[in-house]
Structure formats: structure tokens, C-alpha cells
Amino acid sequence: MNDDRAFPGLDGIELRHLRGFAAVAEECSFTHAADRLRIGQPALTRTVRALESALGARLLDRTTRRVELTDASRRLYADLAPLLPRLAAALRSPTGPATLRLGFTSLLPAACTALTADFEAATGAGVRLVRRDSPLAGLETGDADIVVLRGEVPRDAGLRTTVLLHEPRVAAVPRTPLPAGSRTAGRTPGHAGKDGLTAAQAAALRAVARRRVLDWAELAELPLVVNTVTGSTRPELWPAGRQPQRACTAGNFDEWLEAVAAGHGVGVAPEPVAQRHSHPGIRYLRLKNAPAVPVHLALPARDAHPLAERFFTLGARTRPSAGEAPTAPGGRAPGRTSP
């Protein structure tokens, strides 16, 4: 027997209330959220206030300049974010074509083209590509059913993974490094270190800008531009005591690319980046003795979408064996990581 009294505050709450709140929480702006939902700002304001009234809690602190989340709204959004996309999918017509959402960050590996074709032929379902600049490529927010991740996957992320392939690393160096002491303010096109480049670092960047090949160990002497959200290369990959200085950070691939081009330091990326993202301010150099980048398929460890399970199984069957893994620059075969 259902009893609405067991769920205080739920009476009168509709899907539009939850979608409106989630949009404002993500945009931190009623104006931008209203544009995204294609409704008027006054209507969106009333929608969020109705949700606050139904829950009996203040969800947003509004000022003349910005909107900030309260502790209650952060908890609510964390619970809602993965549920709303799945609810929308459940409410689609069951007779409509099935679609798998494949998430990725900056670059989808070429190997996924054949894998996607095999999946579509085997299931009759379609695949929609979803790019998200987040550590788990949209899996954590429910925007994707299965994702492609580069680098090591956190053990506490609650995921099942399988290695699709390994990609060699290349170095991205600025054609015109900044002079010593230079630094940027804010995050456009990156957030630079407090003290900027030293004279030695600036000289080293100018020297490597003319090289064709670098050794992995040489990067320890250079300032490193790090994509802290979706990047696969961080100082911790080098031995303790021989790690490069994190001179500049970026929050996505485009920021990373522009920060390197602006001369703040050297970047390290998978080889497909050099093949598919040229930049007039950057030269890509071959790296010797660099560890390869593992490329994973990942899906939730529990309650994964059935189509995601099929895609995952196909990926696990077609992944290269240890002997077939690509060889890293310099002739060193990368080690395999366990699923």
C-alpha cells in the first residue's frame, strides 16, 4: 500500500522542477540555464522557488552577480545528476530505436570506429557520441552509458574497465617559449605557476623547440603544462626526486593546447593528438622511453545499461593481446594494465 506521508515534501514536485534546478546548478546562472532550457528567466525562477517551497529548504543563494549552491542543493544535485538522463531515456517511446551513449573527452581513438560498426551490426542499436570535459567523460553525471578513458582509472570510481589499446606519447613544445619570469593571470589560456619560468627553464624550452626527439627523462628538467581534468600525463609518472615542475595547469584539452602554444611549458599527450590537432604555435616531438597511455573502456560496476554491457564485451574481445600492443617511441613495448 502506497502512503504519500512516507515521502514528505514530494507532493507537487514535477520533472520540470528537477530539470530546472539541475540546469541552474550546472550553469550557476538563471540567465544561462533559461537559455539552455529555452524558457523565460522569470518562469525558471518560479520553478526553482516552487521546488524550494516543496522541499522546505533553500537551494540557491542568489546575489546580483552570481548564484551559489547551498549544502542542501549540492547533496540534491549529486543524487539527481545521474538519475535525470536515465529517467529521460526511460520515458522515450519503447518502440523507438535503441541508442547507446558513448562518452569520451578530447579525442576518440580510431579503434572505436570499427568497434562501433561491429556493435551496430550485432545489435541493431545506434551509437551517439557524447564529449564531456570531466574525469569520467560523463559517466559520473549519467550523460553516458559507457566511456573511453585514457590513463589510469581511479580504483574507487566504482567502474569495470578493460584495456582497448595503448597509445605512444609525444611531447608538444611551444615554437616561441615565454621569457624567464613570465606568467599568466587567471585561467586564460591556463593557470600558470606562482613564480613563472626560471631563466634555466626558459633557456631549456628554447633549446628543445629545435629538437626532433626527446628522451622521457629529459622532461624532468622542463616546466610541464598539465591538463588536470582529462589529461593522462602528470609529474607523478616520473621517479620521485626527478619529476618536472607543474608550471601551468588547464581544465580541458583546448586550454592545454593554447597554454603550450603560448609558451608556458611543454605538454605530453597521446600520439593521436599530434596526428589530428596541429597548431601553428606548437611542434610535436617524438619521445623515447616514454610509458604508453592505456586506453580503457569503462562502465558502472553495477546496474550498467544492457547495451553498454554488449559494447564492453565486444571491446574486451577485440582488444590487442600483450604481444600486439603498440610499441612506444624508442622501441620499448609498453606494459599492460590489468582491467
Side-chain angles (χ1 to χ4, degrees):
M1 176 178 179
N2 293 328
D3 188 348
D4 290 341
R5 292 174 298 177
F7 303 95
L10 295 185
D11 187 34
I13 294 179
E14 302 175 7
L15 182 58
R16 63 185 178 89
H17 297 131
L18 303 178
R19 292 182 64 234
F21 160 72
V24 176
E26 290 167 359
E27 300 289 346
C28 289
S29 164
F30 276 89
T31 301
H32 294 160
D35 289 342
R36 176 172 139 188
L37 296 173
R38 298 182 181 179
I39 63 175
Q41 185 175 335
L44 179 58
T45 300
R46 291 193 297 271
T47 296
V48 173
R49 285 178 176 166
L51 179 61
E52 289 179 320
S53 177
L55 295 177
R58 188 170 184 83
L59 299 176
L60 302 169
D61 287 329
R62 308 161 179 85
T63 68
T64 55
R65 293 188 176 184
R66 60 176 300 159
V67 175
E68 293 185 353
L69 302 182
T70 64
D71 290 341
S73 65
R74 289 190 185 92
R75 291 192 296 269
L76 177 61
Y77 177 74
D79 290 336
L80 283 178
L83 295 178
L84 286 176
R86 298 191 70 172
L87 178 59
L91 294 177
R92 296 190 193 108
S93 172
T95 60
T99 302
L100 175 73
R101 299 169 301 163
L102 175 61
F104 67 104
T105 54
S106 58
L107 197 68
L108 193 65
C112 286
T113 301
L115 179 57
T116 297
D118 290 344
F119 168 80
E120 291 178 337
T123 64
V127 175
R128 180 161 66 90
L129 301 180
V130 178
R131 173 180 169 173
R132 292 292 183 270
D133 289 322
S134 64
L136 299 183
L139 201 60
E140 72 276 31
T141 59
D143 290 328
D145 303 309
I146 190 169
V147 296
V148 177
L149 301 176
R150 284 183 170 87
E152 298 304 322
V153 179
R155 293 184 178 275
D156 59 354
L159 305 178
R160 280 190 291 134
T161 66
T162 187
V163 176
L164 278 178
L165 71 157
H166 291 83
E167 296 174 331
R169 281 181 165 93
V170 296
V173 300
R175 293 185 183 273
T176 309
L178 288 175
S182 298
R183 60 181 184 271
T184 57
R187 293 185 60 82
T188 308
H191 181 68
K194 177 180 178 182
D195 300 323
L197 299 179
T198 66
Q201 288 173 333
L205 278 177
R206 287 193 295 272
V208 300
R210 298 186 293 270
R211 300 268 297 275
R212 289 189 176 184
V213 182
L214 283 177
D215 191 275
W216 176 255
E218 291 182 87
L219 294 176
E221 306 299 328
L222 298 171
L224 190 66
V225 179
V226 179
N227 179 347
T228 58
V229 178
T230 61
S232 57
T233 303
R234 303 192 182 192
E236 293 74 20
L237 286 176
W238 282 263
R242 288 286 298 166
Q243 296 177 347
Q245 176 187 342
R246 191 185 305 224
C248 182
T249 60
N252 56 53
F253 173 78
D254 296 315
E255 281 187 4
W256 175 88
L257 196 69
E258 294 301 333
V260 173
H264 300 307
V266 63
V268 179
E271 190 175 57
V273 169
Q275 298 168 345
R276 293 157 68 177
H277 288 279
S278 61
H279 193 291
I282 290 177
R283 290 184 65 232
Y284 292 104
L285 310 182
R286 189 166 66 90
L287 275 177
K288 295 190 302 181
N289 301 313
V293 180
V295 181
H296 302 266
L297 269 183
L299 78 172
R302 296 183 179 181
D303 300 324
H305 194 289
L307 289 176
E309 294 279 7
R310 293 288 301 276
F311 196 93
F312 185 87
T313 300
L314 281 174
R317 288 175 182 170
T318 59
R319 69 182 181 181
S321 66
E324 296 171 332
T327 300
R332 189 164 66 89
R336 288 191 55 81
T337 57
S338 58

